[in-house]
Structure formats: structure tokens, C-alpha cells
Amino acid sequence: NAVLRNILRTLNNIHYPSAEEDPVKYLSTVYSHPAWMVKRWVSRYGFSETEKLLIANNKKPELTLRVNRLKTDVPTMIAYLEQHQVPYTKSPYLEYFIKVQHLADISQSEAFRQGLFTVQDESAGLPCLLLSPQPGERIIDLCAAPGGKTTFIGELLKNTGEIIAIDKYESKLNLIRENCERLGIRNVKYVVDDGSKYQGPIADRVLVDAPCSGLGVLSKKPDIKWKRELEDINDLNVLQMELLENAARLVKPGGVIVYSTCTIEPEENMQLVKTFLERHSGFTIEDPKKHVAPELTTVDGYIESFPHRHGMDGSFAIRLIRTV
């Protein structure tokens, strides 16, 4: 406390690095991000764009609700928020996602207990829309925990077909099961297994929401930036490729793989997918524009979101079709 009080008394005397002489050190110091991370982003996006990204990472995150259309609809949910005087804005990208500034004791609210909504960032909903599951299909979610995407797929399937939710830990699957019960989702099969080694019946569609560096969600998990090192990205690439390779074995001809992450690092995203496609000529990228808002898509055929541009977590998703 004494140290902090002293800082407050001497704020005007603090000297920061010069933005002109050392832009990386300046951004790293002023916005409290590791220098190695800032250096990569300045090289990729430039000084001004990186500064906007860092500012967004340091903001208090909003809470985003996904309306559960198995039990209610958007107008009813909005009426509930207005009744309880909760400020909100509708997502400009996903019609049944609503941002709220606060919702005290959310897990204790009657609407939550009844399963009228779940908490999910817009960026996490995008891979499910890109997957575009159709009623009656078999869907594999290779990395199911914490379950937000599993439940969204269940909602999109309208409780038809089958979702095979895979995770290495039974405790995490139990949490997904609890959420499914609350939301009224009944078409999920829970499998304790390693998604990179799982063997089972082939599926119409496979979601690979891969473990990643998490550098797109720093506003929600600020500790990540101090726990990650550059080497972690390369280490994660091995597991990410193993998961994608296994998805290729599990999807039927004509089927769909969606690969997604919550990071903005190219090595974990498009660079990895390009390497996969070089090894697998029987897969091709499909244009995402008919599934998601065009503003979130790139000319190379994938989805990319940024906190400072889109008001949601940083993320990546791509839709691959098995042609043979």
C-alpha cells in the first residue's frame, strides 16, 4: 500500500520510454505487455494498430450472453434484461448474442437456472456457425471443454442427431453435462479420451477448437501474457496438427472440419492450416461468407476477429471440406 501511495504522489515524475526512439519498449511499458509479444505485433500490424490492440486488451471485458433458442427467444430475453434494468446492446454480428455491462450473481439468476441463456463470447460462437451443423447429423467436438461450443451445436441441431463431446478429463465432461442439462440439450455423448488419438465412427462434421496460446483473450485472462513465452507457440503447434490430422481421419467424404483457436498468432492459425493442406490434397477451404458476417472474413477464406476492431475476443476459424 505504501508503494502504491508513493506512486500516486509521484505520477507526474514517472518517465516512460520514448515512443520515437524505442516504440516496442514504450508500448510494452505503458500498456503492460511482454516485449516479445509487442515486438511481434508491431512487426505485423504497425505501431498505431498495436497500440489500439493493447488498449483493448487492458479494458474490462463485457459479458456476452447467448440466448438459448431451445427455451426462449431474443425479444423475451431483452424484456427480462429491461425488467431488471440491465444495460445491454445486441451483437452486430450474431443475432442471438447480447452484451451486458453487468449481471450481478448471474449464476443465481432465475433466467440462468432455467437455461434461458449461457455466457459465451461472440468469437466463440463463430466456429459453430461456420460448422453449420444440420439436423440429424453426427458431430464430433474433439476438444469439448469447457463446453460452450458443444452446447451451441446442440442448440443449432435442435436436439437431433448426435454430438460426440471428447475431453481428456471426466471432471470437465461432467461440467459440460451439467450445462447441457440446464440448457435442455439431450443429444450429447460424452467420451473421456485424447482428441488427437480418439477413434470412433466417422462424422458429418468435426470441430477442432484447438488448445492454443490464448493471446486473443487477454482482456478476460490477463495473466496469460505473463505465463506465455515465444517457444510455447511452437510447442502447441505439434498438438494442434495432431488434432487436425485426426479430424481428417474422422470426417466423412463431403464432410466439414472447422479448425478454430482463441489466438491471433499466424503460426497457430493459417500457417498451420496451410501446412495441413499441403499434406492433404483431399481438403479445400470453403468461403465463410454465407455462414458469418462478411466483416469478420478475410480474402484467404477464414474468420479472424480482434478486440479493438470487432469488440470481441481475438480468434481464428476456418472451414475445410473433404472433397474425396
Side-chain angles (χ1 to χ4, degrees):
N1 285 339
V3 171
L4 293 174
R5 284 196 298 270
N6 187 52
I7 290 173
L8 285 173
R9 285 193 295 266
T10 59
L11 273 177
N12 294 331
N13 297 326
I14 295 175
H15 297 286
Y16 291 101
S18 167
E20 291 75 24
E21 295 177 7
D22 195 336
V24 170
K25 189 174 182 180
Y26 168 82
L27 292 173
S28 174
T29 303
V30 171
Y31 299 107
S32 190
H33 280 66
W36 71 266
M37 199 178 294
V38 173
K39 183 178 179 180
R40 283 169 62 86
W41 292 346
V42 169
S43 175
R44 195 182 313 152
Y45 307 122
F47 179 91
S48 178
E49 191 78 359
T50 299
E51 186 172 34
K52 292 175 185 176
L53 173 58
L54 301 181
I55 291 171
N57 285 345
N58 287 340
K59 284 184 177 178
K60 181 180 178 180
E62 290 184 296
L63 193 65
T64 308
L65 313 180
R66 188 188 83 228
V67 179
N68 180 12
R69 292 170 300 159
L70 293 176
K71 292 192 172 186
T72 187
D73 54 34
V74 173
T76 303
M77 193 66 223
I78 287 176
Y80 172 86
L81 295 173
E82 291 176 343
Q83 178 186 348
H84 290 80
Q85 299 181 325
V86 178
Y88 70 89
T89 55
K90 293 180 66 176
S91 166
Y93 304 109
L94 293 88
E95 60 180 335
Y96 29 92
F97 281 63
I98 302 173
K99 292 185 177 183
V100 297
Q101 293 180 10
H102 65 83
L103 195 57
D105 299 323
I106 186 171
S107 62
Q108 303 303 315
S109 69
E110 187 62 26
F112 183 82
R113 288 199 298 268
Q114 291 178 3
L116 303 186
F117 68 87
T118 193
V119 176
Q120 185 176 41
D121 191 78
E122 294 159 278
S123 65
L126 294 172
C128 302
L129 295 180
L130 198 58
L131 191 68
S132 188
Q134 301 301 307
E137 291 183 333
R138 174 183 288 130
I139 313 294
I140 296 176
D141 187 349
L142 272 183
C143 309
K149 294 179 179 67
T150 302
T151 60
F152 194 10
I153 293 169
E155 180 187 325
L156 293 172
L157 285 173
K158 300 178 181 178
N159 266 330
T160 67
E162 179 185 44
I163 304 168
I164 301 174
I166 300 166
D167 196 86
K168 292 170 69 174
Y169 303 102
E170 188 168 2
S171 59
K172 291 184 178 181
L173 286 174
N174 287 335
L175 293 175
I176 298 174
R177 185 182 287 108
E178 289 176 10
N179 263 325
C180 286
E181 290 173 357
R182 181 178 62 83
L183 296 168
I185 295 165
R186 301 181 296 274
N187 59 341
V188 180
K189 178 182 178 182
Y190 307 92
V191 178
V192 180
D193 205 341
D194 182 338
S196 65
K197 299 177 176 62
Y198 169 75
Q199 296 180 13
I202 62 171
D204 298 279
R205 302 169 198 255
V206 180
L207 174 64
V208 182
D209 186 44
C212 66
S213 62
L215 300 190
V217 296
L218 296 184
S219 67
K220 292 185 175 68
K221 300 178 180 179
D223 57 311
I224 286 179
K225 60 178 177 273
W226 303 114
K227 293 179 178 179
R228 291 283 184 259
E229 299 292 343
L230 182 58
E231 295 76 18
D232 294 334
I233 295 174
N234 294 326
D235 292 342
L236 285 162
N237 277 170
V238 176
L239 175 58
Q240 290 160 350
M241 184 59 77
E242 288 176 351
L243 288 162
L244 197 47
E245 293 275 2
N246 199 31
R249 292 187 285 269
L250 292 168
V251 71
K252 72 178 188 180
V256 176
I257 295 174
V258 167
Y259 174 81
S260 65
T261 70
C262 58
T263 186
I264 58 175
E265 300 310 303
E267 295 94 329
E268 301 178 80
N269 296 337
M270 197 58 198
Q271 287 182 22
L272 183 131
V273 172
K274 285 181 177 178
T275 301
F276 171 82
L277 292 174
E278 288 170 1
R279 300 176 183 175
H280 297 270
S281 59
F283 286 84
T284 185
I285 299 170
E286 186 174 76
D287 191 338
K289 289 188 178 65
K290 66 179 180 180
H291 302 288
V292 300
E295 305 96 297
L296 299 169
T297 65
T298 69
V299 293
D300 292 322
Y302 57 88
I303 296 172
E304 195 169 39
S305 65
F306 293 91
H308 64 297
R309 295 179 190 170
H310 307 111
M312 66 176 80
D313 289 338
S315 71
F316 170 91
I318 192 165
R319 179 181 167 98
L320 304 174
I321 306 296
R322 182 177 176 182
T323 55
V324 293

